[in-house]
Amino acid sequence: MSNINDVARLAQVSKATVSRVLSGSRGVKEDSRQAVLRAAEILNYTPNAIAQSLSSQSTNCIGVICATEHIQQSTGYLQALEKQLKEHRKHLLLRFANDAESVLNAVDELSHGLCDALVVVGARFTLPALDGDVVLIDCLSASTANSVQCDRVFAVETAVHYLCSQQRRHIALVNFSGGDAALQTIDGYRQALHNYVVPFNRQLVIENEPSVRIALQKLVNSGVKFSALLVTNDSQAQEAITMLNQYQLFVPEKVLVFSLDGSTRLPGTNAIPAIEYSLENIARRAVALLLGERHGHESDLVRGSLLLA
């Protein structure tokens, strides 16, 4: 007799997706729903068998695959997600991953009866093909439409507006190493410079370089003048400040560093200007996607706010 594993395998989706389709839950992509229904019909997976399977397959656990590199950011996301899930009487089952293969391994493990749905958080690498119902949070390359992302265009436009107001018009950018986030960031950067009648200088942009140290070496060695530096997150900002001071490009006197995602205050220093995102807001939207409770008019682009030193 066929079981839920057979249906999931034939439909090429997770068991959680099969359960959600057959229980009538919302939030499942139409093509996935149709694939599950076709597989159930082909395998003669009867309603009685389905009901018995569903009664034992629900775990009230949400699998969270944490792919963020920085422990502080990871902790913030996990705390926000756990708080939101607890309000819905759901539990968080955690796995870590640092590349596409380990994401697939975690998905395979968590999909075998351990949890009802999956979330991938903060991947800074190209993700493998995932089921359409896997929710992505702040991943640079979104492989599904079921994602909550930061509004990168708005973030860069806000940053450039602030830097120009501080008379810093030679603005360098160390962009994301790739993915949708990199494309959105450079688009926002170009548009913001255009709005302030600042010429776009390709030498001021470092792309496809995951190491901020090497990116800064390229920038400094190019000899191009810059009075401000945009980096993608707080960790990069702190490393950039140390390096710039070593190059005698003292911060903030000669170069004003701006983080496009968060800022911390180190002992004896001021917090650097940054775009700050509400992790609670991001987690709330992600859980709404997981539970099929998102309203049609709601956007999954989260805008940050300007945080000044």
Side-chain angles (χ1 to χ4, degrees), residues 65 97 99-107 120 123 125-131 134 136 141-144:
I65 302 171
D99 55 32
E101 183 179 0
S102 55
V103 167
L104 280 179
N105 291 337
V107 167
V120 179
F125 47 81
T126 301
L127 288 170
L130 300 172
D131 285 350
V134 175
L136 306 181
S141 296
S143 63
T144 76

Side-chain angles (χ1 to χ4, degrees), residues 57-109:
Q57 290 298 323
S58 179
T59 65
N60 285 323
C61 287
I62 303 298
V64 177
I65 302 171
C66 189
T68 55
E69 297 176 349
H70 308 296
I71 187 63
Q72 183 177 9
Q73 187 180 39
S74 300
T75 301
Y77 272 128
L78 295 175
Q79 288 176 337
L81 276 171
E82 185 176 43
K83 177 182 177 182
Q84 293 299 317
L85 290 171
K86 188 177 294 184
E87 292 182 5
H88 296 274
R89 297 183 179 180
K90 302 289 184 182
H91 308 286
L92 185 154
L93 188 58
L94 179 63
R95 293 293 183 272
F96 290 95
N98 55 18
D99 55 32
E101 183 179 0
S102 55
V103 167
L104 280 179
N105 291 337
V107 167
D108 183 64
E109 177 188 0

Side-chain angles (χ1 to χ4, degrees), residues 191-209:
Q191 183 59 49
L193 293 180
H194 175 76
N195 292 342
Y196 284 90
V197 198
V198 176
F200 175 77
N201 184 347
R202 169 55 65 180
Q203 286 186 294
L204 286 173
V205 179
I206 304 297
E207 297 186 284
N208 302 313
E209 179 50 70

Side-chain angles (χ1 to χ4, degrees), residues 35-36 58 66 97-98 130 182 205 207 213 215 223 238 252 263 269 291 301:
V36 169
S58 179
C66 189
N98 55 18
L130 300 172
V205 179
E207 297 186 284
R213 179 171 294 275
Q238 301 301 334
S263 174
T269 66
L291 302 178
L301 275 181

Side-chain angles (χ1 to χ4, degrees), residues 31-242:
D31 56 352
S32 295
R33 190 179 75 85
Q34 292 296 334
V36 169
L37 294 177
R38 285 194 300 270
E41 181 179 1
I42 292 170
L43 295 171
N44 195 27
Y45 195 47
T46 65
N48 286 340
I50 292 170
Q52 293 171 0
S53 179
L54 288 175
S55 67
S56 62
Q57 290 298 323
S58 179
T59 65
N60 285 323
C61 287
I62 303 298
V64 177
I65 302 171
C66 189
T68 55
E69 297 176 349
H70 308 296
I71 187 63
Q72 183 177 9
Q73 187 180 39
S74 300
T75 301
Y77 272 128
L78 295 175
Q79 288 176 337
L81 276 171
E82 185 176 43
K83 177 182 177 182
Q84 293 299 317
L85 290 171
K86 188 177 294 184
E87 292 182 5
H88 296 274
R89 297 183 179 180
K90 302 289 184 182
H91 308 286
L92 185 154
L93 188 58
L94 179 63
R95 293 293 183 272
F96 290 95
N98 55 18
D99 55 32
E101 183 179 0
S102 55
V103 167
L104 280 179
N105 291 337
V107 167
D108 183 64
E109 177 188 0
L110 294 171
S111 297
H112 283 75
L114 293 179
C115 59
D116 301 326
L118 293 175
V119 181
V120 179
V121 180
R124 293 298 184 259
F125 47 81
T126 301
L127 288 170
L130 300 172
D131 285 350
D133 59 333
V134 175
V135 173
L136 306 181
I137 300 177
D138 189 24
C139 294
L140 299 194
S141 296
S143 63
T144 76
N146 224 17
S147 62
V148 180
Q149 301 294 329
C150 299
D151 191 335
R152 310 288 181 188
V153 173
F154 179 78
V156 182
E157 290 178 342
T158 302
V160 171
H161 171 79
Y162 170 75
L163 293 171
C164 286
S165 74
Q166 301 299 306
Q167 308 305 313
R168 308 291 182 115
R169 295 173 63 86
H170 297 90
I171 304 170
L173 167 66
V174 176
N175 201 359
F176 293 97
S177 58
D180 299 332
L183 296 175
Q184 294 161 11
T185 299
I186 193 65
D187 285 347
Y189 176 77
R190 283 178 176 272
Q191 183 59 49
L193 293 180
H194 175 76
N195 292 342
Y196 284 90
V197 198
V198 176
F200 175 77
N201 184 347
R202 169 55 65 180
Q203 286 186 294
L204 286 173
V205 179
I206 304 297
E207 297 186 284
N208 302 313
E209 179 50 70
S211 167
V212 68
R213 179 171 294 275
I214 295 176
L216 269 180
Q217 288 174 349
K218 290 180 178 179
L219 185 62
V220 172
N221 291 338
S222 72
V224 65
K225 176 184 177 182
F226 63 100
S227 57
L229 176 67
L230 290 172
V231 293
T232 59
N233 58 52
D234 177 60
S235 177
Q236 283 194 345
Q238 301 301 334
E239 187 173 0
I241 290 172
T242 299

